[in-house]
Amino acid sequence: MWSAALAITALVVISIMHWIYRWRNPRCNGVLPPGSMGLPLLGETLQFFAPSSSSDVHPFIKERLGRHGPIFRTSLVGRPLIVTADPDFSHYVLQKEGELFQSWYPDTFTEIFGKQNVGSLHGFMYKYLKGMVLSLFGPESLKNMLPEVEQAARRHLKIWSEQDSVEVKDSTATMIFDLTAKKLISHDPEKSSENLRENFVAFIKGLISFPINIPGTAYHKCLQGRKKAMKMLKHMLEERRVTPNRLQRDFFDYVLEELQKKDTVLTEAIALDLMFVLLFASFETTSLAITYAINILVDHPHVLKELTDEHDAILSKRQNLDDGLTWKEFKSMKFTMQFINETARLANIVPGVFRKALKDINFKGHTIPAGWAVMVCPPAVHLNPSAYKDPLVFNPRRWEEMERKGASKNFMAFGGGMRFCVGTDFTKVQMAVFLHCLVTKYRFLLVKGGDIIRTPGLQFPNGVHIKISGK
C-alpha cells in the first residue's frame, strides 16, 4: 500500500516537473527568441501591468530589450507571446496580416470590447466594416464636417475661458465625445435623460488593469461600464427603428438600412460593438493626444510660437477674419501636422498591437511558432535612438527629414498594414482645428501640474489644469 502511494506521489511530482519544464521550454520547430515564460499559467503578467512614472519605454519592455534584444518571448495571462520592438519585424507583422498573421487580442480584451468587435474580425467582414466607417469619416465627409468641428472647438474654448481653470483631459474628452456621438448617433447630452459618456468614463478607468472580475476591482467596473453603455446604445437603436431620424443622416441610419437588406452580413450585435469601439476610440485617444499637446506647448514656448505663427499666417491671408476654416487652409498646416505626428510619437497612446501567427515564421534566425501571439510595441519603436535622434526630445522639425526618408517602419501611432486606423484623418482634423482655435484666439497657462501616469506604453499628463483668456 505504501509503495503504491509512493509510486503515485512520484508520478504526480514527475508530471508536475515535466509540465513546468515544458512551460519554461515550449516546443518549437526551430529556435525561439530569447526570453522567459515566467511563472506557470501567470507568466509575467504582474510585471507587465506594474505602473511606472517614467516617460521612457515601460520598464517591463525596456529591461527585456536590454537583456534579450529587440525580439523576445514572454507569457501574459497564460498565453505565450512574442514581443517585438524591431522596426523591420514590426512592419512585417502588420503588413503580412491575412497571409502569415491575423488580428488577435487576449480574451480579456474581447470580453471588454465585445466578441464581435472590429479588432477581432477578419477578411471580408473587416473590410466591410472599414468601408462603413470610411463612409462617415473619409476625406470627403471630413470636408463637410470641418465647420462643425470648428464650431465645437470655439464653443468649448469660450466656456473654458469663463472658468477659473479647466482640467484639460476631462474637458477635451467631453468636447470630442459630444461631437462624435452627435455625428454617429445624433446624441445630444443636453437633451438626453441618460449620461452616455459617464458609462464610458467608468469603462476607461479599468481598461488597462489586472483582469480580475470581482466587484470593487477596476476591471469589474470596466465591464459594468461597458454593459450600461451597450444597453443605452441598444435602446437608442430601437428608438431609431420606431422613429427614424429625418433631420440629418447619421451612422444609425446607415446601420438600419444595412440591417434591412436581405443579403446583409451585418448583425445588430456587430453594429453595436462597432458603435461602442468608435465612440471609445474617437474621444479617448484624441483627448489624450490633445492633453499631451497642451502640456508640450506650455513647456516649449518656442514650439508654441512657431505653431502660432503658422496659424496667424492663415488668418492674415483671409479677406474676412470671421470666416471659418477651409479645407485648403487645413491642408496648408505643414508645421501643425509635424507637431501632431511628434505628439503622437511621444504620447504613445497605443501600448501594443496584437497579432497571431498562422504558421511557423522564421525571421532573423528565430522561429515564431504557429498559434503564438505577437505584440508589436509602438512605444519602443518610437523611442528607438537608432531611428530618432534624442528620442525623448520633442522636436516637430524632425519630421521634415522623416518625411523625405519615409517613416512608415518607425512610426505606427495610427497602426499599419490593412488595419491602419480609419479614424486617423478625423483625429488630425480635430487636433488641428482645436489648436488653430486655441493659439489664434487665446492665451493659456498651466495652473496645476500633474504626474505622468504610466501603464505599459501609455502615458499622459494627469490632473493638468490650464487657465485660458482671450487675446
Side-chain angles (χ1 to χ4, degrees):
M1 183 175 179
W2 282 106
S3 59
L6 285 172
I8 293 172
T9 302
L11 183 62
V12 169
V13 170
I14 291 171
S15 298
I16 292 174
M17 294 298 292
H18 177 73
W19 175 64
I20 292 174
Y21 175 82
R22 287 262 55 94
W23 173 269
R24 292 179 175 176
N25 301 274
R27 289 188 176 90
C28 176
N29 297 321
V31 180
L32 280 170
S36 169
M37 304 304 288
L39 297 172
L41 298 180
L42 188 61
E44 297 185 301
T45 307
L46 295 177
Q47 298 94 316
F48 179 81
F49 281 103
S52 169
S53 60
S54 172
S55 59
D56 200 347
V57 179
H58 188 270
F60 174 85
I61 303 292
K62 191 170 184 177
E63 288 171 9
R64 286 155 182 78
L65 291 178
R67 193 184 312 156
H68 306 302
I71 303 175
F72 64 88
R73 74 175 188 268
T74 183
S75 175
L76 299 179
V77 290
R79 180 88 188 197
L81 178 72
I82 301 296
V83 178
T84 171
D86 182 287
D88 292 328
F89 186 53
S90 298
H91 182 72
Y92 181 77
V93 169
L94 298 179
Q95 293 297 319
K96 291 295 184 178
E97 181 176 348
E99 182 181 346
L100 299 178
F101 300 91
Q102 72 176 26
S103 179
W104 173 89
Y105 283 88
D107 292 341
T108 52
F109 179 93
T110 55
E111 189 174 359
I112 288 173
F113 283 102
K115 295 179 180 179
Q116 301 291 332
N117 80 83
V118 66
S120 299
L121 298 174
H122 315 289
F124 170 77
M125 197 66 205
Y126 171 74
K127 293 177 182 178
Y128 168 77
L129 293 180
K130 184 177 180 179
M132 285 181 64
V133 177
L134 284 174
S135 69
L136 190 70
F137 293 121
E140 290 304 314
S141 296
L142 290 177
K143 289 180 183 179
N144 299 324
M145 202 188 303
L146 197 62
E148 197 174 350
V149 176
E150 186 176 9
Q151 289 169 13
R154 292 195 184 284
R155 183 172 64 253
H156 282 268
L157 282 167
K158 185 177 185 300
I159 294 171
W160 296 3
S161 68
E162 295 167 353
Q163 300 175 8
D164 291 336
S165 70
V166 292
E167 203 282 325
V168 179
K169 169 63 176 62
D170 186 64
S171 299
T172 53
T174 299
M175 174 183 69
I176 294 165
F177 184 85
D178 291 350
L179 174 66
T180 307
K182 182 179 179 182
K183 197 66 184 174
L184 282 173
I185 56 178
S186 300
H187 177 69
D188 188 340
E190 295 182 1
K191 296 179 181 179
S192 176
S193 59
E194 298 181 279
N195 192 332
L196 180 61
R197 181 176 172 267
E198 190 176 85
N199 293 317
F200 275 89
V201 171
F203 168 81
I204 289 162
K205 286 182 178 178
L207 182 58
I208 301 182
S209 59
F210 197 79
I212 299 179
N213 188 13
I214 298 175
T217 63
Y219 184 72
H220 178 78
K221 292 176 182 177
C222 175
L223 293 177
Q224 291 302 306
R226 170 186 159 77
K227 183 178 179 180
K228 292 177 182 177
M230 290 296 288
K231 184 178 179 180
M232 286 184 66
L233 289 173
K234 184 176 176 62
H235 178 67
M236 291 176 186
L237 186 62
E238 290 298 330
E239 283 187 334
R240 183 63 61 82
R241 274 200 179 99
V242 176
T243 311
N245 181 17
R246 301 183 184 278
L247 296 177
Q248 63 179 21
R249 185 175 171 81
D250 62 15
F251 201 60
F252 262 169
D253 294 318
Y254 190 91
V255 165
L256 287 173
E257 287 180 6
E258 288 295 306
L259 288 173
Q260 289 169 2
K261 293 179 180 178
K262 290 182 179 180
D263 58 346
T264 185
V265 296
L266 186 67
T267 66
E268 184 176 299
I270 292 175
L272 290 173
D273 276 344
L274 177 63
M275 201 74 64
F276 181 87
V277 170
L278 289 176
L279 283 168
F280 161 75
S282 60
F283 91 95
E284 176 63 9
T285 55
T286 308
S287 62
L288 286 171
I290 290 177
T291 304
Y292 190 89
I294 289 177
N295 211 48
I296 287 295
L297 293 176
V298 171
D299 290 340
H300 298 76
H302 66 286
V303 176
L304 173 60
K305 183 181 184 306
E306 196 163 359
L307 190 68
T308 304
D309 288 346
E310 178 170 86
H311 289 273
D312 283 344
I314 290 174
L315 295 182
S316 69
K317 296 175 183 177
R318 289 183 185 172
Q319 291 183 342
N320 186 350
L321 289 177
D322 294 327
D323 288 345
L325 268 172
T326 66
W327 191 251
K328 183 178 179 181
E329 289 172 340
F330 166 70
K331 297 299 286 186
S332 73
M333 298 176 183
K334 183 177 179 180
F335 181 75
T336 302
M337 290 303 127
Q338 293 171 352
F339 176 87
I340 289 173
N341 279 344
E342 186 72 345
T343 297
R345 181 184 75 84
L346 280 173
N348 280 320
I349 293 166
V350 179
V353 178
F354 290 86
R355 296 290 185 267
K356 183 172 71 173
L358 297 176
K359 57 182 75 173
D360 286 358
I361 296 161
N362 297 307
F363 193 89
K364 293 184 178 180
H366 294 131
T367 299
I368 289 80
W372 276 47
V374 178
M375 187 183 91
V376 174
C377 185
V381 174
H382 294 163
L383 297 176
N384 182 355
S386 298
Y388 297 95
K389 182 181 178 181
D390 300 322
L392 291 172
V393 174
F394 189 90
N395 176 21
R397 286 299 180 189
R398 74 169 81 242
W399 289 92
E400 293 179 345
E401 185 68 18
M402 298 295 287
E403 287 164 0
R404 284 194 291 269
K405 291 181 178 179
S408 60
K409 289 186 179 180
N410 296 301
F411 184 63
M412 47 191 67
F414 302 104
M418 66 180 291
R419 290 184 186 265
F420 186 81
C421 177
V422 294
T424 298
D425 289 337
F426 184 43
T427 297
K428 290 183 175 181
V429 164
Q430 290 181 97
M431 289 188 69
V433 171
F434 176 84
L435 291 168
H436 173 80
C437 296
L438 178 66
V439 301
T440 57
K441 298 291 184 181
Y442 296 95
R443 296 184 179 91
F444 57 97
L445 56 90
L446 194 69
V447 295
K448 178 184 176 183
D451 297 326
I452 295 291
I453 303 299
R454 285 281 297 194
T455 51
L458 179 65
Q459 63 182 48
F460 58 91
N462 183 51
V464 173
H465 288 65
I466 60 169
K467 168 64 180 174
I468 69 173
S469 58
K471 285 188 173 180

